mmCIF file of all heavy atoms in Angstrom:
data_model
loop_
_atom_site.group_PDB
_atom_site.id
_atom_site.type_symbol
_atom_site.label_atom_id
_atom_site.label_comp_id
_atom_site.label_asym_id
_atom_site.label_seq_id
_atom_site.Cartn_x
_atom_site.Cartn_y
_atom_site.Cartn_z
ATOM 1 N N PHE A 228 -12.043 -6.478 -3.608
ATOM 2 C CA PHE A 228 -13.479 -6.596 -3.904
ATOM 3 C C PHE A 228 -13.755 -6.836 -5.386
ATOM 4 O O PHE A 228 -14.827 -7.292 -5.740
ATOM 5 C CB PHE A 228 -14.211 -5.328 -3.428
ATOM 6 C CG PHE A 228 -14.328 -5.264 -1.935
ATOM 7 C CD1 PHE A 228 -13.397 -4.542 -1.193
ATOM 8 C CD2 PHE A 228 -15.339 -5.918 -1.261
ATOM 9 C CE1 PHE A 228 -13.485 -4.485 0.179
ATOM 10 C CE2 PHE A 228 -15.445 -5.863 0.103
ATOM 11 C CZ PHE A 228 -14.509 -5.142 0.836
ATOM 12 N N SER A 229 -12.801 -6.545 -6.269
ATOM 13 C CA SER A 229 -13.039 -6.746 -7.702
ATOM 14 C C SER A 229 -12.853 -8.213 -8.103
ATOM 15 O O SER A 229 -13.377 -8.638 -9.123
ATOM 16 C CB SER A 229 -12.127 -5.846 -8.523
ATOM 17 O OG SER A 229 -10.774 -6.205 -8.348
ATOM 18 N N LEU A 230 -12.113 -8.998 -7.318
ATOM 19 C CA LEU A 230 -11.891 -10.400 -7.697
ATOM 20 C C LEU A 230 -13.109 -11.293 -7.431
ATOM 21 O O LEU A 230 -13.434 -12.050 -8.317
ATOM 22 C CB LEU A 230 -10.656 -10.961 -6.969
ATOM 23 C CG LEU A 230 -9.326 -10.329 -7.351
ATOM 24 C CD1 LEU A 230 -8.209 -10.908 -6.529
ATOM 25 C CD2 LEU A 230 -9.054 -10.485 -8.820
ATOM 26 N N PRO A 231 -13.785 -11.342 -6.379
ATOM 27 C CA PRO A 231 -13.359 -11.010 -5.021
ATOM 28 C C PRO A 231 -12.481 -12.127 -4.461
ATOM 29 O O PRO A 231 -12.596 -13.278 -4.857
ATOM 30 C CB PRO A 231 -14.667 -10.918 -4.229
ATOM 31 C CG PRO A 231 -15.590 -11.834 -4.944
ATOM 32 C CD PRO A 231 -15.157 -11.819 -6.394
ATOM 33 N N GLY A 232 -11.613 -11.748 -3.562
ATOM 34 C CA GLY A 232 -10.742 -12.728 -2.947
ATOM 35 C C GLY A 232 -9.589 -12.056 -2.230
ATOM 36 O O GLY A 232 -9.300 -10.881 -2.428
ATOM 37 N N THR A 233 -8.943 -12.840 -1.387
ATOM 38 C CA THR A 233 -7.793 -12.363 -0.616
ATOM 39 C C THR A 233 -6.513 -12.823 -1.295
ATOM 40 O O THR A 233 -6.434 -13.933 -1.805
ATOM 41 C CB THR A 233 -7.859 -12.921 0.816
ATOM 42 O OG1 THR A 233 -9.064 -12.463 1.425
ATOM 43 C CG2 THR A 233 -6.675 -12.464 1.642
ATOM 44 N N PHE A 234 -5.530 -11.942 -1.313
ATOM 45 C CA PHE A 234 -4.221 -12.353 -1.826
ATOM 46 C C PHE A 234 -3.139 -11.862 -0.883
ATOM 47 O O PHE A 234 -3.279 -10.859 -0.200
ATOM 48 C CB PHE A 234 -3.981 -11.884 -3.262
ATOM 49 C CG PHE A 234 -3.927 -10.395 -3.430
ATOM 50 C CD1 PHE A 234 -2.736 -9.714 -3.328
ATOM 51 C CD2 PHE A 234 -5.083 -9.673 -3.681
ATOM 52 C CE1 PHE A 234 -2.687 -8.331 -3.470
ATOM 53 C CE2 PHE A 234 -5.057 -8.301 -3.839
ATOM 54 C CZ PHE A 234 -3.842 -7.637 -3.731
ATOM 55 N N GLU A 235 -2.050 -12.610 -0.855
ATOM 56 C CA GLU A 235 -0.911 -12.300 0.005
ATOM 57 C C GLU A 235 -0.003 -11.335 -0.729
ATOM 58 O O GLU A 235 0.257 -11.490 -1.936
ATOM 59 C CB GLU A 235 -0.136 -13.577 0.350
ATOM 60 C CG GLU A 235 -0.944 -14.610 1.083
ATOM 61 C CD GLU A 235 -1.391 -14.147 2.458
ATOM 62 O OE1 GLU A 235 -0.590 -13.512 3.162
ATOM 63 O OE2 GLU A 235 -2.553 -14.407 2.811
ATOM 64 N N ILE A 236 0.504 -10.351 -0.016
ATOM 65 C CA ILE A 236 1.432 -9.373 -0.594
ATOM 66 C C ILE A 236 2.700 -10.086 -1.078
ATOM 67 O O ILE A 236 3.266 -9.738 -2.099
ATOM 68 C CB ILE A 236 1.772 -8.257 0.422
ATOM 69 C CG1 ILE A 236 0.495 -7.519 0.834
ATOM 70 C CG2 ILE A 236 2.817 -7.307 -0.135
ATOM 71 C CD1 ILE A 236 -0.309 -6.923 -0.306
ATOM 72 N N ASP A 237 3.117 -11.132 -0.360
ATOM 73 C CA ASP A 237 4.309 -11.901 -0.763
ATOM 74 C C ASP A 237 4.154 -12.578 -2.114
ATOM 75 O O ASP A 237 5.131 -12.986 -2.718
ATOM 76 C CB ASP A 237 4.647 -12.955 0.291
ATOM 77 C CG ASP A 237 5.229 -12.340 1.540
ATOM 78 O OD1 ASP A 237 5.617 -11.154 1.509
ATOM 79 O OD2 ASP A 237 5.283 -13.043 2.578
ATOM 80 N N SER A 238 2.922 -12.714 -2.620
ATOM 81 C CA SER A 238 2.700 -13.349 -3.918
ATOM 82 C C SER A 238 2.812 -12.365 -5.092
ATOM 83 O O SER A 238 2.782 -12.806 -6.237
ATOM 84 C CB SER A 238 1.322 -14.025 -3.949
ATOM 85 O OG SER A 238 0.296 -13.048 -3.963
ATOM 86 N N LEU A 239 2.946 -11.085 -4.810
ATOM 87 C CA LEU A 239 3.058 -10.105 -5.892
ATOM 88 C C LEU A 239 4.431 -10.149 -6.528
ATOM 89 O O LEU A 239 5.424 -10.478 -5.872
ATOM 90 C CB LEU A 239 2.799 -8.682 -5.334
ATOM 91 C CG LEU A 239 1.402 -8.432 -4.802
ATOM 92 C CD1 LEU A 239 1.345 -7.053 -4.140
ATOM 93 C CD2 LEU A 239 0.377 -8.522 -5.919
ATOM 94 N N PRO A 240 4.528 -9.768 -7.818
ATOM 95 C CA PRO A 240 5.822 -9.784 -8.484
ATOM 96 C C PRO A 240 6.846 -8.832 -7.836
ATOM 97 O O PRO A 240 8.037 -9.075 -7.914
ATOM 98 C CB PRO A 240 5.532 -9.333 -9.914
ATOM 99 C CG PRO A 240 4.054 -9.297 -10.049
ATOM 100 C CD PRO A 240 3.436 -9.394 -8.707
ATOM 101 N N ASN A 241 6.383 -7.773 -7.207
ATOM 102 C CA ASN A 241 7.283 -6.805 -6.592
ATOM 103 C C ASN A 241 7.319 -6.929 -5.070
ATOM 104 O O ASN A 241 7.611 -5.966 -4.361
ATOM 105 C CB ASN A 241 6.903 -5.382 -7.007
ATOM 106 C CG ASN A 241 5.493 -5.004 -6.591
ATOM 107 O OD1 ASN A 241 4.664 -5.869 -6.368
ATOM 108 N ND2 ASN A 241 5.232 -3.729 -6.482
ATOM 109 N N ALA A 242 7.074 -8.119 -4.545
ATOM 110 C CA ALA A 242 7.012 -8.357 -3.097
ATOM 111 C C ALA A 242 8.299 -7.933 -2.385
ATOM 112 O O ALA A 242 8.242 -7.351 -1.304
ATOM 113 C CB ALA A 242 6.703 -9.820 -2.817
ATOM 114 N N MET A 243 9.433 -8.221 -2.973
ATOM 115 C CA MET A 243 10.712 -7.863 -2.323
ATOM 116 C C MET A 243 10.830 -6.342 -2.169
ATOM 117 O O MET A 243 11.306 -5.866 -1.147
ATOM 118 C CB MET A 243 11.903 -8.426 -3.105
ATOM 119 C CG MET A 243 12.016 -9.949 -2.976
ATOM 120 S SD MET A 243 12.049 -10.536 -1.275
ATOM 121 C CE MET A 243 13.567 -9.844 -0.696
ATOM 122 N N ARG A 244 10.411 -5.592 -3.175
ATOM 123 C CA ARG A 244 10.492 -4.129 -3.098
ATOM 124 C C ARG A 244 9.530 -3.607 -2.036
ATOM 125 O O ARG A 244 9.833 -2.670 -1.308
ATOM 126 C CB ARG A 244 10.208 -3.507 -4.447
ATOM 127 C CG ARG A 244 11.287 -3.875 -5.485
ATOM 128 C CD ARG A 244 11.275 -2.998 -6.677
ATOM 129 N NE ARG A 244 11.506 -1.601 -6.398
ATOM 130 C CZ ARG A 244 12.698 -1.048 -6.166
ATOM 131 N NH1 ARG A 244 13.774 -1.790 -6.140
ATOM 132 N NH2 ARG A 244 12.816 0.234 -5.943
ATOM 133 N N LEU A 245 8.361 -4.232 -1.883
ATOM 134 C CA LEU A 245 7.418 -3.812 -0.856
ATOM 135 C C LEU A 245 7.944 -4.142 0.545
ATOM 136 O O LEU A 245 7.723 -3.385 1.483
ATOM 137 C CB LEU A 245 6.044 -4.444 -1.101
ATOM 138 C CG LEU A 245 5.303 -3.901 -2.304
ATOM 139 C CD1 LEU A 245 4.053 -4.739 -2.607
ATOM 140 C CD2 LEU A 245 4.930 -2.441 -2.119
ATOM 141 N N LYS A 246 8.647 -5.252 0.691
ATOM 142 C CA LYS A 246 9.266 -5.592 1.964
ATOM 143 C C LYS A 246 10.352 -4.561 2.308
ATOM 144 O O LYS A 246 10.480 -4.153 3.463
ATOM 145 C CB LYS A 246 9.879 -6.989 1.918
ATOM 146 C CG LYS A 246 8.872 -8.086 2.040
ATOM 147 C CD LYS A 246 9.539 -9.451 2.032
ATOM 148 C CE LYS A 246 8.515 -10.536 2.068
ATOM 149 N NZ LYS A 246 9.121 -11.879 2.048
ATOM 150 N N GLU A 247 11.127 -4.143 1.311
ATOM 151 C CA GLU A 247 12.145 -3.121 1.532
ATOM 152 C C GLU A 247 11.495 -1.814 1.964
ATOM 153 O O GLU A 247 11.990 -1.132 2.862
ATOM 154 C CB GLU A 247 12.963 -2.891 0.252
ATOM 155 C CG GLU A 247 13.863 -4.027 -0.114
ATOM 156 C CD GLU A 247 14.466 -3.862 -1.508
ATOM 157 O OE1 GLU A 247 14.291 -2.797 -2.148
ATOM 158 O OE2 GLU A 247 15.103 -4.822 -1.980
ATOM 159 N N PHE A 248 10.368 -1.488 1.341
ATOM 160 C CA PHE A 248 9.630 -0.283 1.713
ATOM 161 C C PHE A 248 9.184 -0.373 3.175
ATOM 162 O O PHE A 248 9.358 0.577 3.948
ATOM 163 C CB PHE A 248 8.405 -0.100 0.814
ATOM 164 C CG PHE A 248 7.512 1.014 1.231
ATOM 165 C CD1 PHE A 248 7.784 2.312 0.841
ATOM 166 C CD2 PHE A 248 6.410 0.779 2.044
ATOM 167 C CE1 PHE A 248 6.977 3.362 1.253
ATOM 168 C CE2 PHE A 248 5.606 1.804 2.464
ATOM 169 C CZ PHE A 248 5.891 3.100 2.066
#
Side-chain angles (χ1 to χ4, degrees):
F228 288 95
S229 65
L230 294 177
T233 300
F234 64 91
E235 300 295 319
I236 300 304
D237 288 345
S238 70
L239 295 173
N241 60 337
M243 289 306 295
R244 296 196 60 79
L245 290 171
K246 283 182 183 180
E247 291 170 7
F248 173 84

